[in-house]
């Protein structure tokens, strides 16, 4: 059967193991051009992690992504997916094993949502029954009612729904790797934040290896387990965790790219739940401190700081999902967090081998 | 010329002796009794020939245009020469083209079809190519990125999406060819042009002229409506925009 050549024989409800992706000295030189678009790019994305490629325009981030599924032929180096070179694979078979999401989504307007999602399973020759089950499962996964949405056409969906269907279509054949090229770039800021949160929840469930391209450093910090910052000419400036990049940018280019507000951005990486909150002295579990605002424990420290400032420095009450009080957060607590981080950064030593794009560090 | 000799051959108002009603004899605007007497022997065969002439021309023209459009879609440099040739064919006056073909091919159905087909090419080629080119780049990128071959992308994505433009071209071609086929009679004795020409004789016989001409118009309108229906059936996705 044709399904044998894919990595997922467990049936519709299983999500297969993600695969490690390794780029080894990858270069791309377009014919007739002197300077390469990608220069000696080496990085490893551990299985199940989200790697964000970010950089200014001309940094070759989309090119780098399209080299992986061989939509653009590689000029030098090698790309290994699950330890196997993609250069030895038949390009069409390779692409069917790699989920592909683009900014303009590219849903087929003449096909229903169900048919769109079924694209790769059909190419792989799955049985109709298995395809139907898979479509329903994926629609449920992206919070769309299968019975209602399966037979709709893309023109009948909202922008956000289309984007979710695009993600479901990429997940359909349960690929070990997903490539996402500015997937939320065309969505308005409010819906973008919602789609980002939704994707992170989805990713926690399916645990794919993801290569995510964006030009937006805030999105990179939010979405990435690791961030690869590319500079013009396709040179890797830094490959590290968001925390490391914000705390110790490798050079002035990275520092400038992540922005002068990188301290604030770092606060966005921590939620109140991770802080040692102040005991709500004398407060009964469901009571607020007098005059204090209530914020959920999932709030980022950055947002909490903003609320603290607009509340004139009054302490905030942190509540859990059921509305019970967990503790208080104050400006002093945020200050403490900052000084602790600064101390950690100094203790670890500065500028120690972060700029060479080696995946081994920063883990 | 062929047309002159044909015109001289038949009587202006057919002499049906005992059958001729006073309506026919006085050449009133529309005599239903003439229609009922002559539908089977004259009008129906002419209509059937007309349908076959047009159908064959559009079918052959569509096959050629599709092949040319697919080639030009893949190799862009083929577009200009194809446009040039088909435009040239389209601009040749129809009567002249019919007569020009008689010398090499003969006064037969082949001359008629060659002429009719050559008038479909420009319309069909342009519409098919426009339809194929209008497929959004991101849709093709997605198709390729998900592992479709060129052929799969063509059949599953490009042609279905080009369908509205293709049918639009077919509608123009069909209506044009049905009208044009009425002058096939100048070189080949077939189609609704034959009774129209007979009726035109000396002092036109109004009933036959209106009946044969009316059938040609009706045939064009019905074919057009049929194609609209086919398109609606084949492109359900194009109707759902408003909801």
């Amino acid at each position: 059967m044709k399904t044998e050549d894919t990595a997922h024989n467990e049936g519709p409800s299983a999500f297969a193991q993600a695969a490690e992706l390794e780029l080894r000295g990858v270069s791309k030189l377009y014919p007739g051009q002197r300077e390469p678009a990608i220069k000696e790019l080496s990085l490893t994305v551990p299985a199940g992690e989200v790697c964000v490629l970010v950089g200014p325009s001309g940094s070759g981030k989309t090119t780098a992504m399209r080299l992986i599924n061989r939509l653009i032929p590689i000029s030098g180096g090698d790309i290994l997916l699950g330890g196997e070179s993609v250069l030895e694979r038949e390009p069409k078979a390779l692409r069917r094993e790699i989920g592909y999401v683009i900014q303009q989504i590219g849903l087929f307007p003449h096909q229903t949502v169900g048919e769109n999602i079924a694209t790769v399973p059909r190419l792989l020759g799955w049985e109709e029954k298995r395809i139907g089950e898979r479509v329903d499962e994926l629609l449920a996964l992206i919070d769309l009612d299968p019975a209602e949405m399966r037979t709709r056409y893309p023109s009948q969906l909202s922008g956000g729904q289309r984007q979710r269907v695009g993600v479901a279509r990429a997940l359909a054949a349960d690929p070990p790797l997903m490539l996402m090229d500015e997937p939320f770039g065309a969505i308005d800021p409010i819906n973008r934040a919602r789609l980002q949160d939704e994707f992170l929840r989805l990713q926690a469930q399916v645990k794919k290896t993801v290569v995510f391209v964006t030009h937006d450093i805030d999105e990179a910090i939010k979405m990435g387990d690791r961030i690869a910052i590319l500079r013009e000419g396709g040179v890797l400036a830094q490959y590290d965790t968001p925390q490391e990049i914000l705390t110790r940018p490798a050079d002035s280019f990275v520092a400038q790219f992540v922005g002068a507000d990188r301290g604030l951005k770092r606060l966005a990486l921590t939620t109140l739940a991770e802080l040692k909150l102040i005991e709500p002295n004398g407060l009964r579990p469901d009571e607020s401190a007098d005059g204090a605002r209530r914020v959920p424990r999932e709030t980022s420290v950055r947002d909490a700081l903003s609320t603290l400032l607009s509340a004139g420095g009054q302490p905030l009450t942190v509540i859990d999902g059921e509305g019970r009080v967990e503790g208080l957060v104050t400006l002093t607590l945020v200050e403490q967090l900052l000084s602790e981080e600064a101390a950690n950064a100094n203790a670890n030593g500065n500028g120690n081998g972060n700029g060479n794009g080696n995946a081994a560090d920063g883990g | 010329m062929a047309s002159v000799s044909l015109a001289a051959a038949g009587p202006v108002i057919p002499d049906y002796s005992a059958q001729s009603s006073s309506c026919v004899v006085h050449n009133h605007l529309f005599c239903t009794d003439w229609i009922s007497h002559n539908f089977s022997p004259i009008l129906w065969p002419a209509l059937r020939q007309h349908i076959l002439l047009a159908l064959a021309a559009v079918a052959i023209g569509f096959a050629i245009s599709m092949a040319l459009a697919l080639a030009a879609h893949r190799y862009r440099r083929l577009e200009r020469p194809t446009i040039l040739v088909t435009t040239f064919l389209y601009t040749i006056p129809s009567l002249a083209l019919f007569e020009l073909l008689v010398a090499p091919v003969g006064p037969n159905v082949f001359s008629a079809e060659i002429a009719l087909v050559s008038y479909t090419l420009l319309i069909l080629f342009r519409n098919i190519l426009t339809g194929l080119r209008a497929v959004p780049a991101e849709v093709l990128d997605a198709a390729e990125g998900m592992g479709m071959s060129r052929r799969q992308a063509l059949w599953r994505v490009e042609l279905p999406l080009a369908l509205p433009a293709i049918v639009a071209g077919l509608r123009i071609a069909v209506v044009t060819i049905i009208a044009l086929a009425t002058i096939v009679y100048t070189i080949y004795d077939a189609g609704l042009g034959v009774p129209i020409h007979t009726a035109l004789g000396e002092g036109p016989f109004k009933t036959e002229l209106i009946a044969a001409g009316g059938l040609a118009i009706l045939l064009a309108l019905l074919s057009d409506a049929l194609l609209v229906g086919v398109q609606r059936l084949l492109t359900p996705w194009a109707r759902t925009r408003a909801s």
Side-chain angles (χ1 to χ4, degrees), chain B residues 192-205:
Chain B
L192 287 167
V194 176
I196 290 173
H197 178 70
T198 314
L200 279 174
E202 315 159 8
F205 174 38

Side-chain angles (χ1 to χ4, degrees), chain A residues 88-204:
Chain A
E88 280 155 29
R89 301 288 310 277
E90 203 274 315
K92 289 190 284 292
L94 174 75
R95 289 175 201 146
R96 290 169 195 178
E97 264 180 48
I98 298 177
Y100 188 55
V101 185
I102 52 178
Q103 181 181 345
Q104 310 88 337
I105 312 166
L107 289 183
F108 301 139
H110 61 298
Q111 293 185 348
T112 61
V113 166
E115 290 167 331
N116 264 287
I117 295 175
T119 304
V120 179
R122 287 238 160 85
L123 289 170
L124 292 170
W126 288 17
E127 286 166 31
E128 280 307 308
K129 185 172 172 287
R130 185 176 169 207
I131 293 176
E133 287 166 5
R134 183 67 180 168
V135 167
D136 287 359
E137 184 194 11
L138 285 163
L139 282 171
L141 190 71
I142 57 167
D143 273 328
L144 295 177
D145 176 23
E148 193 197 334
M149 303 305 290
R150 200 173 28 212
T151 54
R152 293 235 184 140
Y153 287 98
S155 59
Q156 296 167 301
L157 305 180
S158 70
Q161 285 174 330
R162 269 179 230 168
Q163 192 53 56
R164 279 142 78 194
V165 172
V167 172
R169 182 173 70 168
L171 280 169
D174 197 17
L177 171 68
M178 299 265 285
L179 304 180
M180 306 178 82
D181 188 2
E182 306 217 14
F184 311 128
I187 311 271
D188 64 274
I190 292 169
N191 278 307
R192 188 186 312 153
R194 231 185 46 215
L195 284 166
Q196 288 168 341
D197 294 339
E198 226 170 72
F199 181 75
L200 288 173
R201 267 202 306 278
L202 190 67
Q203 166 64 3

Side-chain angles (χ1 to χ4, degrees), chain A residues 278-348:
Chain A
I278 298 166
E279 288 295 319
N281 288 336
L283 278 178
R284 281 198 303 276
D286 49 358
E287 244 178 18
S288 300
D290 198 29
R293 302 188 180 201
R294 295 157 75 99
V295 288
R297 66 200 293 270
E298 292 83 15
T299 310
S300 73
V301 177
R302 180 185 184 167
D303 290 347
L305 177 62
S306 169
T307 314
L308 273 168
L309 292 174
S310 52
Q314 298 267 19
L316 308 178
T317 309
V318 181
I319 54 169
D320 67 7
E322 269 92 56
R324 282 188 298 264
V325 172
E326 295 225 323
L328 299 178
V329 60
T330 60
L331 281 171
T332 324
L333 200 63
V334 177
E335 265 173 52
Q336 265 172 28
L337 175 74
L338 284 171
S339 56
E340 272 168 34
E341 281 189 353
N344 280 342
N346 287 330
N348 289 347

